[in-house]
Amino acid sequence: MHMADALAAPAVAGTMYVCSAAAAAYSVKKVRLDVDTKKVPVMGVMGAFVFAAQMINFTIPGTGSSGHLCGGMLLSALLGPYAGFLTMIGVLLIQGLLFADGGLLVLGCNVWNMAFYGCFLGALLIWKPLMKHGMSRAKIAAASILGCVLTLQLGAFSVCLETWASGITELPVIVFVGTMQPIHLAIGFVEGMITAAVLMFVYEARPELLYGSSPEEENRGRFSFKKTVLVLAAAAVLIGGGLSLAASSHPDGLEWSIEKLTGSAELEAEGGIYEASGAVQEATSLLPDYAFQGSESALGTTFSGIAGAAAVLGVCVGACYLFKFFRKCTES
């Protein structure tokens, strides 16, 4: 669901930058008051995991479309809404800058559509209430599927509203909504099952890592904290460096919907601000489309998956020290 620059007018893109920046500033304020230093490595590793997982597009049978993990619900269930939101920003920033995945002009739109709903609404309105009286595998599965379906529907609807407000006449809002919502319903359901599987592993391995867990669960886990984080890190490397090669070649839900309405998966936009954004992205994207420039070698995809995951990990952990997150970390 990464929007391209051509899908939003500068005024709409600017408005969404302001909205996303306000949510980010509030998140920074909240995370700086958090004293759980264990979240530092978890932010980095789970950011890397979500980056790698997003590289695997899974086919939606009978549609000619594909989907991929969004990750907001997964991150917020582990890190809470504020640290999860900031981690998602790190993922989207690396994707846009290094891999030209999602336009830089519409980064604010992508942060709002892909991170805000999953991290804030998913965590605060679905995950937290369901886990209020204790966690269980059934509750985790229900929260994961319900959260992913609902927040992805909201994200897809926001894309439609943003293109409508931008005056994209090629995408009539009613028809666009009618195309986007059903396909993202299916994608959200699959994402929910993937999210549930990861969270159930964490619940069995180290349940206190889950947002809203009780102190009594701290000593119930089968693995140590270190081993759990290392397993998740190894999974990120395996997914990004290997399983990403098996990603579906079908267009994702957004591209598929656009192609259904216009005959092409991409729209063009003219104007100085679009050219400037494109020029910056061309200069920074060292591995466009997750490949070596001018090459379709599988090695490029493998390298992109591992290098991108490492870059996200570095950005997330670096931000913890730069913004003085988790006070015990800076005081020790």
Side-chain angles (χ1 to χ4, degrees):
M1 204 159 57
H2 296 78
M3 292 177 67
D5 285 344
L7 293 179
V12 172
T15 299
M16 298 312 299
Y17 256 108
V18 171
C19 293
S20 295
Y26 184 71
S27 296
V28 167
K29 179 180 177 181
K30 296 291 286 186
V31 173
R32 289 185 70 180
L33 299 176
D34 196 330
V35 296
D36 186 0
T37 56
K38 286 185 176 180
K39 286 186 180 178
V40 176
V42 177
M43 281 180 71
V45 168
M46 289 311 301
F49 183 93
V50 167
F51 171 88
Q54 284 193 12
M55 291 183 65
I56 303 180
N57 280 46
F58 46 82
T59 298
I60 304 299
T63 65
S65 175
S66 69
H68 62 69
L69 186 79
C70 189
M73 189 70 197
L74 174 59
L75 290 176
S76 61
L78 282 163
L79 298 164
Y82 311 110
F85 183 71
L86 295 176
T87 302
M88 272 295 292
I89 291 178
V91 173
L92 293 168
L93 187 63
I94 292 298
Q95 288 173 335
L97 286 174
L98 296 185
F99 304 97
D101 190 4
L104 297 183
L105 178 65
V106 294
L107 180 60
C109 296
N110 287 330
V111 167
W112 190 267
N113 301 338
M114 299 180 68
F116 179 84
Y117 296 118
C119 292
F120 286 99
L121 300 189
L124 299 177
L125 297 185
I126 297 174
W127 179 269
K128 188 175 181 180
L130 282 176
M131 305 301 156
K132 186 176 181 180
H133 300 294
M135 296 182 177
S136 69
R137 284 185 284 273
K139 286 184 179 181
I140 290 171
S144 298
I145 294 173
L146 179 60
C148 289
V149 167
L150 176 61
T151 58
L152 203 60
Q153 285 292 289
L154 290 171
F157 188 64
S158 286
V159 172
C160 298
L161 291 182
E162 287 153 6
T163 58
W164 170 73
S166 299
I168 309 296
T169 56
E170 298 94 331
L171 302 172
V173 65
I174 300 300
V175 181
F176 196 29
V177 168
T179 308
M180 282 280 283
Q181 302 306 135
I183 195 65
H184 283 92
L185 180 64
I187 293 170
F189 183 75
V190 177
E191 178 180 358
M193 292 192 293
I194 296 171
T195 299
V198 176
L199 294 179
M200 283 185 196
F201 162 74
V202 176
Y203 177 70
E204 294 294 334
R206 208 71 197 163
E208 81 270 15
L209 290 179
L210 295 172
Y211 177 56
S213 61
S214 63
E216 293 77 20
E217 294 172 317
E218 184 169 350
N219 298 317
R220 193 185 62 78
R222 297 182 179 181
F223 296 165
S224 66
F225 170 79
K226 182 178 180 181
K227 185 174 182 180
T228 303
V229 172
L230 286 175
V231 169
L232 292 169
V237 173
L238 176 64
I239 293 168
L243 296 182
S244 59
L245 296 173
S248 171
S249 60
H250 293 310
D252 67 20
L254 175 56
E255 294 170 335
W256 178 85
S257 298
I258 294 172
E259 190 170 9
K260 282 283 186 181
L261 273 60
T262 68
S264 173
E266 296 182 0
L267 298 179
E268 299 293 332
E270 297 181 356
I273 193 166
Y274 293 104
E275 294 174 2
S277 175
V280 171
Q281 193 165 47
E282 185 176 355
T284 62
S285 56
L286 303 179
L287 296 160
D289 297 322
Y290 303 96
F292 294 133
Q293 295 192 30
S295 171
E296 296 183 0
S297 168
L299 182 60
T301 303
T302 296
F303 180 79
S304 295
I306 296 174
V312 172
L313 188 152
V315 165
C316 292
V317 173
C320 289
Y321 290 92
L322 179 64
F323 292 104
K324 299 181 179 179
F325 293 163
F326 311 107
R327 288 182 172 182
K328 286 183 180 178
C329 182
T330 60
E331 292 172 358
S332 60

